[in-house]
Amino acid sequence: MIQIDVAVCDDEPFVAKTISEVAQKELSRHGFQARIEIVNDALSLACELKEQGFDLKLLDIEMPLVDTYDGIEFSRMLREKGDRTELVFVSNAEDRVFESLPVRPLYFVRKSHFADDMTEAINAFAKSWKDRKQDRMVSFATAHAQGTFSVDDILYIEARRRLKIIHMATGHTAEVTATLEDMADELAPYGFYRVHKGFIVNFAHVEQMSSKGISVGGDLIPISRGTIQDIRLAYMDFLSKKNAVIL
């Protein structure tokens, strides 16, 4: 399963919960395991954007927001700051479909056609993800051939003497012969960080971080002594770039 982060924002708690449940079900059909954060106003969403990155936002248009902003205005503000997160509007305001186009929503889900439109919206997201994933492949030499890996499926890399072990989200591992230095350089643009002389971690899969280490895929990865602050700063930088927005 591919882990992704999803934000659901609707001022009606019951509606937000329904959107979350349906999105979870549809995403699961496409092989996604979604961690969904539900908020009920844009101010709360703005706070969440400061703390973590999202791969998909499901956002209502007409709801109580900051000042005179509605869902479209809020999204326009994010886009102007560089936000590239996939956006789906879920709204009763069907007459505002064309007004929403400048903020480049992936889909417009009509609440009056919720079930069918949500299915199509998640289909569109899965296709978009697959298209982007083709550009997120790396190759490393193995003992007998050249292995190609999706960076999104790599949890972390562990050095064991001359071999490097790639730990995958699927639970599988792969042995490669590249140096950890070369792997760190090639993977750095994708959000990987060398947290220890023997480990490289994919920040996209970090579950928890403390002075004891970093939890990734249920494993505790050691960190180099005295570097926790640098690692935290690097992680925050990764999150800000993932959303490409600072509020």
Side-chain angles (χ1 to χ4, degrees):
M1 299 287 279
I2 304 168
Q3 284 195 347
I4 61 171
D5 293 291
V6 179
V8 173
C9 185
D10 194 293
D11 65 310
E12 299 182 45
F14 174 76
V15 173
K17 185 174 183 293
T18 301
I19 294 170
S20 172
E21 291 173 349
V22 174
Q24 186 84 260
K25 180 180 177 180
E26 291 295 329
L27 286 164
S28 180
R29 289 179 54 247
H30 290 278
F32 294 102
Q33 182 176 341
R35 295 176 292 200
I36 299 183
E37 187 73 28
I38 297 176
V39 295
N40 299 121
D41 57 72
L43 182 59
S44 298
L45 178 57
C47 292
E48 289 297 327
L49 290 173
K50 289 182 180 180
E51 297 297 325
Q52 64 173 312
F54 291 101
D55 302 291
L56 173 64
K57 294 197 296 288
L58 300 166
L59 179 65
D60 193 7
I61 288 180
E62 296 181 331
M63 58 183 175
L65 300 177
V66 180
D67 297 327
T68 59
Y69 286 124
D70 61 8
I72 294 176
E73 288 298 321
F74 181 71
S75 298
R76 182 177 292 115
M77 179 185 69
L78 296 181
R79 292 301 195 212
E80 289 174 352
K81 291 179 178 292
D83 175 53
R84 297 186 297 273
T85 307
E86 295 287 18
L87 169 66
V88 171
F89 285 119
V90 184
S91 178
N92 278 319
E94 298 178 19
D95 58 327
R96 302 188 67 186
V97 171
F98 293 106
E99 184 184 346
S100 74
L101 296 182
V103 299
R104 305 184 304 282
L106 181 67
Y107 209 87
F108 193 107
V109 173
R110 301 163 294 174
K111 288 183 178 178
S112 60
H113 297 73
F114 178 71
D116 291 339
D117 283 3
M118 274 295 290
T119 297
E120 292 302 318
I122 300 304
N123 286 344
F125 174 77
K127 182 181 184 303
S128 173
W129 183 279
K130 182 178 179 180
D131 291 343
R132 286 184 286 118
K133 191 173 181 179
Q134 297 302 315
D135 297 326
R136 295 172 63 80
M137 306 294 289
V138 292
S139 295
F140 298 114
T142 66
H144 306 290
Q146 193 80 3
T148 301
F149 308 90
S150 165
V151 297
D152 299 303
D153 292 337
I154 299 175
L155 296 175
Y156 65 92
I157 301 163
E158 174 187 6
R160 294 183 187 170
R161 297 186 178 180
R162 300 186 69 176
L163 286 177
K164 312 303 172 295
I165 312 301
I166 299 179
H167 294 259
M168 312 293 290
T170 59
H172 297 115
T173 60
E175 297 181 352
V176 299
T177 57
T179 68
L180 207 63
E181 290 79 7
D182 288 344
M183 296 180 78
D185 288 342
E186 183 164 353
L187 291 168
Y190 298 103
F192 287 71
Y193 194 84
R194 191 170 182 178
V195 300
H196 183 276
K197 65 179 181 180
F199 289 89
I200 300 171
V201 164
N202 183 353
F203 275 156
H205 289 282
V206 168
E207 299 158 352
Q208 191 174 7
M209 187 181 303
S210 71
S211 58
K212 295 180 180 179
I214 298 176
S215 295
V216 181
D219 297 331
L220 185 64
I221 310 302
I223 58 178
S224 297
R225 185 176 300 176
T227 62
I228 182 64
Q229 187 61 28
D230 291 339
I231 294 171
R232 282 175 175 162
L233 289 173
Y235 182 58
M236 294 304 296
D237 183 57
F238 162 77
L239 292 181
S240 68
K241 288 179 179 177
K242 183 177 179 182
N243 274 319
V245 58
I246 298 177
L247 298 174

